[in-house]
Amino acid sequence: MPTRDTVRRLRERRLGRADLRFGARLLAAAVAAAVTAVPFVLLLLLVEGHWRPLLRVDAGAAHRLHAVALHHPAWTGTLRFLSDVVWDPFTLRTVVAVLTLWLLHRRAWRLAAWAAVTAGVGGLTGMLVKAVVERARPALQDAVAQAPGYSFPSGHAMTATTSFAVLLLVLLPLVPRGWRPACWGAAAVSVLGVGFTRVALGVHWFSDVLGGWLLGLTVTALTARAFEAWRADAGRHRTPLTEGLEPELTEPTPEPAGAPARGAE
């Protein structure tokens, strides 16, 4: 039998390895937070400081795209349909909610929690930043669209970023490898398209959209990092993002305890 000193040394060794793993994960989380959050903070400071080059970019994009919208009603109608129906935040949140319910049905409890938390935290963070910054929306003559509330960051852009990230990171394991680049491309086109429609319709400045993209990426990166830390603690191997957050989703749904085996009479 191992002696008491041997047991104590083994326990201390395990605790030491756990401390090292925790320190490494903490450092990685801090780096991820800095890499993703710093660009948004810098942009926020430029917006709040009314940095002239940024204001010129915002005004130039708004007026050029507004002129196109005024002279091409069919084009403007298409933009409205995409912005207010296809890529509307309510539509995207509904899709994420349905995905979350499906994950609960599959008993992927933690992945469902991650999807719900990412979408919820993203929405609440966006509203909080809007209330703090209180930036006015563009006031264009003969406006082709209207939107309530403050302007920075764009809620459409942020919701699109978090929603398509959730869809990709959850569903990629179920997609054949040959189709995955197309899925990434479709998500990127959708996120960029949302931002374009908001500026082209004159309801957001370009920097509002950029802020929404950056803040959405920040929220997604931090929650995904937390999910990866849980996987490590549960003894599961880390996977690249191109494989999704939980490749085990392709495995059959486990049967509830005590349930009869499939096909049993």
Side-chain angles (χ1 to χ4, degrees):
M1 286 184 65
T3 65
R4 184 175 301 177
D5 288 342
T6 302
V7 172
R8 180 177 56 81
R9 284 196 297 270
L10 290 173
R11 184 182 297 114
E12 289 176 350
R13 192 176 302 167
R14 284 197 299 270
L15 289 174
R17 287 196 296 265
D19 289 341
L20 288 174
R21 289 196 299 269
F22 174 74
R25 291 172 194 154
L26 191 62
L27 178 61
V31 171
V35 169
T36 54
V38 166
F40 174 77
V41 173
L42 290 176
L43 178 63
L44 176 59
L45 293 174
L46 295 178
V47 169
E48 286 284 76
H50 305 288
W51 192 49
R52 290 185 181 277
L54 181 62
L55 296 180
R56 284 196 293 269
V57 170
D58 280 343
H63 287 96
R64 281 194 293 271
L65 292 175
H66 182 60
V68 174
L70 285 175
H71 291 90
H72 298 85
W75 168 248
T76 303
T78 301
L79 295 180
R80 282 204 197 96
F81 175 75
L82 291 173
S83 179
D84 299 337
V85 179
V86 179
W87 292 325
D88 182 72
F90 178 79
T91 302
L92 296 179
R93 288 169 187 150
T94 300
V95 172
V96 172
V98 171
L99 176 67
T100 302
L101 292 175
W102 177 75
L103 290 172
L104 291 174
H105 174 71
R106 289 289 303 263
R107 298 183 179 85
W109 314 114
R110 290 180 177 84
L111 195 57
W114 174 80
V117 167
T118 301
V121 169
L124 291 174
T125 303
M127 289 190 293
L128 177 61
V129 175
K130 279 178 180 284
V132 171
V133 177
E134 296 185 342
R135 190 185 197 187
R137 292 182 183 270
L140 302 173
Q141 189 175 6
D142 300 322
V144 298
Q146 300 289 337
Y150 295 117
S151 193
F152 183 90
S154 166
H156 277 68
M158 183 173 182
T159 302
T161 303
T162 54
S163 298
F164 281 103
V166 167
L167 292 172
L168 275 176
L169 295 179
V170 169
L171 297 177
L172 273 180
L174 304 177
V175 178
R177 290 185 182 276
W179 287 93
R180 291 180 186 179
C183 293
W184 282 100
V189 167
S190 296
V191 171
L192 294 174
V194 170
F196 176 80
T197 63
R198 303 307 285 170
V199 179
L201 290 172
V203 293
H204 275 296
W205 304 108
F206 169 71
S207 55
D208 299 335
V209 168
L210 182 58
W213 289 335
L214 292 174
L215 192 55
L217 285 174
T218 299
V219 170
T220 304
L222 294 179
T223 58
R225 187 70 194 177
F227 188 86
E228 289 178 342
W230 167 79
R231 283 182 60 84
D233 289 337
R236 297 184 178 181
H237 64 280
R238 181 169 297 177
T239 58
L241 289 181
T242 53
E243 301 293 324
L245 279 183
E246 191 161 311
E248 296 83 0
L249 194 63
T250 57
E251 298 174 0
T253 305
E255 293 291 339
R262 291 184 185 271
E265 296 293 336

